[in-house]
Amino acid sequence: MMEKKIFIGTKEIAGYGSRLKYGFKQLGISCDFYDFEKTSFSYGLNDNDKIKYIEKIKNIIYNIYPYTKGINKVISNIKYYYYLISFFIYSLFHYNIFIFLNSSGFLNLKKFDYFILKLFRKFLIFVSLGSDTRPPYMNGSVLNKIKFSVSRCYTITKRKYNDIKIIEKFSDVIINYHPHAQFLTKPFVSGMYIGMPSPKADDYKDIESINDDNVLNKARSDPRKIKILHAPSDPISKGTFIIDDIINRLKDEGYDILYVKLQNMPNSEVISHIRTSDFIINQVYSDSPFSMLSVEAALYKKPSVTSGYYVDYIEKDLDSNLIPATIFVHPDKLYDVCKKLCDSKKLCEENGEKSYNFVKENYTPEIVAKKFLKLIDKNYSSDLFKDPKKIDYFYGYGLPEEKLKEFLRLYIDNYGEKALFLNHNIKLKNDILKFLER
């Protein structure tokens, strides 16, 4: 059997790429991770001799190109594509397995670089982690950015649908999640089966001992307070204003709360606050019960609270052993569950312990890497792949039900039901239309 040489890239998503690479390395598999993105979160580093190409590419994208004009901009473009194509050619002959995270690629021209990779008989795994496949018309993070422009949403939706068709055509395996795989037509592997690789053991020392009362008391300015952490990457779509209101209501009722909000902070800073928190509030309108923040919190035996409409669908989509041991509730119940956690340190500890055990048994980098290897070696049963035509969830992400309904009515009034791009899933399309009639 040919030696496996794995490429992971070309962007980092909440530490997924660097931790997956670590998992492969622990299993003795040759693997490199490349991050083309400029990020403030500092999850992982590229670490091989081709990093110079990546650094030159990033330098042109973020430090040179935006500030040049005329002939200098043309020269920047030539340099950019020289380094990028050189790196692509190197990768083409150096790796035989490519794992792309969140619709990433080399040239932002998937029809070209994905096609070339398949022409050279490379094994392609596409990993979706959210907005890259979620229909824009049910994606709060997109709609908020474009100020709910119907025409802009249609343009983005059509482009995304076409991108996904290309990805489906050339990928050997697609890893996705039921609540945002509506545009898929071919079977996919559930991301809940694969899992999100947790921080590696030597990232953060003394994981086993951080719940010691002496350690916590020294790290907290006032250990008598209930410390609640919220770390939104996008405050609007995460529902931060609703979480703020919940905290204020609890304070008004007499709870002594230290509420910490973090945004655009290095991952190490977030971890330091997780360690000294009683619990974490993740987000309000989520289509997933478990984010990478939840995984990191679980390692420190801290419960995370997430709410979303998908809570009413998850048991139908997933086997019970794949549902994360976390607190996932309907948005209407978010206040109640936060109040219960404030009332009971024991409840926090019990839920934190359950989350910790789930992550250690399912989401370590080595365990996640082994699941990827099963896909690469085609060592799996046919029922591992899920039929996207059975998906019936459409409440999306980052939006209250009323706002989603309001926008969808306007969207369909302007472009018709064909603009949903769901002719491959007639039941789902009809369910959406019935939802709009209520």
Side-chain angles (χ1 to χ4, degrees), residues 263-330:
Q263 188 178 1
N264 295 325
M265 300 294 289
N267 188 239
S268 57
E269 181 76 10
V270 176
I271 293 296
S272 70
H273 282 283
I274 287 176
R275 292 182 61 174
T276 57
S277 294
D278 290 290
F279 64 94
I280 288 84
I281 303 179
N282 195 1
Q283 59 192 96
V284 181
Y285 300 110
S286 175
D287 56 7
S288 173
F290 224 40
S291 68
M292 191 60 81
L293 179 66
S294 303
V295 173
E296 291 170 338
L299 279 181
Y300 294 97
K301 301 184 179 180
K302 305 297 182 180
S304 61
V305 183
T306 304
S307 66
Y309 300 117
Y310 185 60
V311 68
D312 295 329
Y313 294 77
I314 190 169
E315 291 185 359
K316 179 188 74 67
D317 288 341
L318 299 173
D319 294 335
S320 59
N321 64 307
L322 297 183
I323 299 176
T326 187
I327 302 173
F328 188 40
V329 298
H330 191 279

Side-chain angles (χ1 to χ4, degrees), residues 138-157:
M138 60 175 72
N139 188 347
S141 62
V142 172
L143 296 180
N144 287 318
K145 289 177 183 176
I146 64 174
K147 299 180 180 179
F148 287 82
S149 165
V150 173
S151 60
R152 181 69 177 139
C153 182
Y154 176 76
T155 300
I156 295 172
T157 300

Side-chain angles (χ1 to χ4, degrees), residues 18-36:
S18 55
R19 294 165 186 170
L20 178 59
K21 181 200 75 172
Y22 175 81
F24 282 124
K25 293 284 190 181
Q26 291 298 104
L27 299 176
I29 303 295
S30 175
C31 176
D32 291 306
F33 164 64
Y34 298 96
D35 178 17
F36 286 16

